[in-house]
Amino acid sequence: VPELLDSISTQRHILAGYMRPEVQVESGSSVDRWNTMPQDVSAGSRETNATLDYLLQRAEQISEPKRKDQLYYRAAVVAASTKGADAAFEIVDKMSLQYREKAKEFIAFDIALKAARKHQLAEAESLARRDSDLTRRSYIFTVIAGSLLDDKNRDAVGAMEFINEIERLAAKLDTDSEKVAVLVGAAAVASRLDAARAADLLRQAIRIANKIEGFSVDTRVPRSLDVGGGLFAYTMYDGEFTLVDAVIRLGTNDFNQTVGDINGFKNRLPRLQTIVALCDGILSQNSRP
C-alpha cells in the first residue's frame, strides 16, 4: 500500500532507535536472509521439502552456534510434518547438547498433537505417555478423547477412559491454573458424552479456580523453548477445550444447572464472563436456520 510507506518507514526508524546496536545488526541480517530466501520458501509454504532443504543448508553453512541451533530446530519442526518423526529427531541430534533434550520434547509433542488430529491415535498416545510434562500429556489425551467421539472413530468407552485418566493427571499437577485448564478441557469433551460427568469436572475446576487470585475465563497454558536466545512458543487450551466451550456445551443441555454451577465462582468477573458467554452461545445457536 504505497500511501502507508512513509509512516511505516518512520515507525521502523523509531523502533530501531530503541534497539541495541548488536540487535540492529542481527535484525538487518535477518531481513537480508529473508530477502534472499528462495521464492518457494515462504511463510505460506513453511512445511515443504524446499523449506527443509533451505533451513538445513543455512544451518550447515553458518558458523554462529546459537543461530545454527535455531535453524536446526526450525528444520526439525518442518521435518516432523514432511518426513516423519525419525527424520525430525535425526535433525534434533545435530543441535548442541544444551538444547537437544528439550527440543526433542517439543518436537515429540508437536508430532503427537498432529497425529491425534489426524486420528492416528495409537502414535499420539504412545508419544504422550512418554512425555514427563503432565499438562502436555493431558492435552494430547484430551485431543484423543475428542477424536474418539467423532463419527468416524466413535468409541465412547475409550473416550471416557481417557477423560478419567486426565482427571487423575490433573490431581498431580503443581499449579492450580494448569489444573483448572486440564479439568475444563476434560469437561468440554465429556459434555459430548455424559453431561453429569462433565458438570462434575466443571465444578472441580471452579473450586480450584476460586483459589486463584484474579482468575478469569482465560485458561490458556503456554509453553516456550529458548534456543540460543530465539523463543519458540505454543499455547495449549487456546481456541478449543476452553472454559467458554465447556460452559456453552453444558448450558445447551441444561441451562439452569449450568448457571447454578457458574455461580460457584467466588469472583464476580469469571461469573459474569461465563454467564455472558453462555447466553451468547445459546442465542447464537438458536438464531441459526
Side-chain angles (χ1 to χ4, degrees):
V1 184
E3 60 269 22
L4 294 179
L5 284 177
D6 288 342
S7 62
I8 290 174
S9 178
T10 299
Q11 292 179 48
R12 169 191 170 192
H13 291 299
I14 290 172
L15 290 171
Y18 286 100
M19 302 169 78
R20 299 191 307 275
E22 63 272 20
V23 177
Q24 289 188 37
V25 172
E26 175 59 24
S27 297
S29 299
S30 296
V31 171
D32 289 341
R33 286 194 296 270
W34 182 267
N35 289 335
T36 58
M37 190 177 289
Q39 290 184 357
D40 56 353
V41 180
S42 66
S45 60
R46 58 184 176 180
E47 294 185 351
T48 67
N49 288 329
T51 307
L52 177 59
D53 292 341
Y54 174 78
L55 291 170
L56 289 173
Q57 182 182 25
R58 286 288 303 160
E60 289 159 7
Q61 290 173 344
I62 204 164
S63 58
E64 204 278 309
K66 291 181 179 179
R67 179 64 182 156
K68 184 185 289 287
D69 283 327
Q70 292 170 10
L71 288 164
Y72 276 137
Y73 181 76
R74 288 174 58 194
V77 171
V78 176
S81 297
T82 58
K83 295 193 173 182
D86 291 342
F89 290 131
E90 185 177 333
I91 294 171
V92 171
D93 283 335
K94 297 181 180 182
M95 296 176 67
S96 303
L97 284 173
Q98 179 182 357
Y99 306 112
R100 195 176 298 167
E101 289 308 311
K102 273 291 183 184
K104 283 183 178 179
E105 290 179 9
F106 272 56
I107 294 294
F109 172 79
D110 185 54
I111 294 169
L113 183 58
K114 288 175 179 173
R117 297 198 191 287
K118 293 177 181 177
H119 303 289
Q120 298 166 354
L121 304 185
E123 179 183 6
E125 180 183 358
S126 176
L127 287 168
R129 290 197 180 282
R130 297 201 294 268
D131 195 337
S132 60
D133 186 322
L134 298 186
T135 301
R136 280 200 306 239
R137 188 188 303 177
S138 299
Y139 185 65
I140 297 297
F141 284 175
T142 303
V143 177
I144 292 173
S147 295
L148 287 171
L149 294 178
D150 292 343
D151 290 339
K152 64 184 294 185
N153 291 301
R154 188 74 181 179
D155 181 358
V157 173
M160 187 55 73
E161 287 176 352
F162 275 107
I163 289 168
N164 292 337
E165 185 161 2
I166 292 164
E167 183 181 18
R168 291 192 292 271
L169 289 172
K172 299 178 182 179
L173 298 177
D174 294 329
T175 65
D176 286 338
S177 59
E178 295 195 4
K179 287 180 182 179
V180 171
V182 167
L183 288 170
V184 163
V189 176
S191 64
R192 298 168 55 189
L193 180 64
D194 184 336
R197 183 79 173 91
D200 178 62
L201 290 165
L202 177 63
R203 287 191 288 270
Q204 289 185 54
I206 290 173
R207 285 195 293 271
I208 297 170
N210 286 335
K211 302 176 186 177
I212 304 171
E213 185 175 353
F215 177 80
S216 71
V217 299
D218 185 357
T219 54
R220 291 176 294 180
V221 178
R223 288 289 185 271
S224 61
L225 173 67
D226 185 329
V227 178
L231 194 65
F232 298 90
Y234 61 86
T235 306
M236 296 175 284
Y237 301 99
D238 181 15
E240 62 177 349
F241 313 125
T242 64
L243 179 54
V244 168
D245 187 20
V247 165
I248 291 175
R249 286 182 176 277
L250 283 167
T252 302
N253 180 70
D254 190 334
F255 181 84
N256 292 330
Q257 176 63 54
T258 304
V259 170
D261 291 337
I262 288 171
N263 282 327
F265 278 115
K266 180 176 65 177
N267 295 327
R268 184 178 299 173
L269 177 60
R271 198 160 63 234
L272 290 173
Q273 287 175 313
T274 48
I275 288 175
V276 170
L278 171 59
C279 293
D280 181 62
I282 291 178
L283 288 172
S284 298
Q285 290 176 4
N286 290 339
S287 66
R288 292 172 188 166

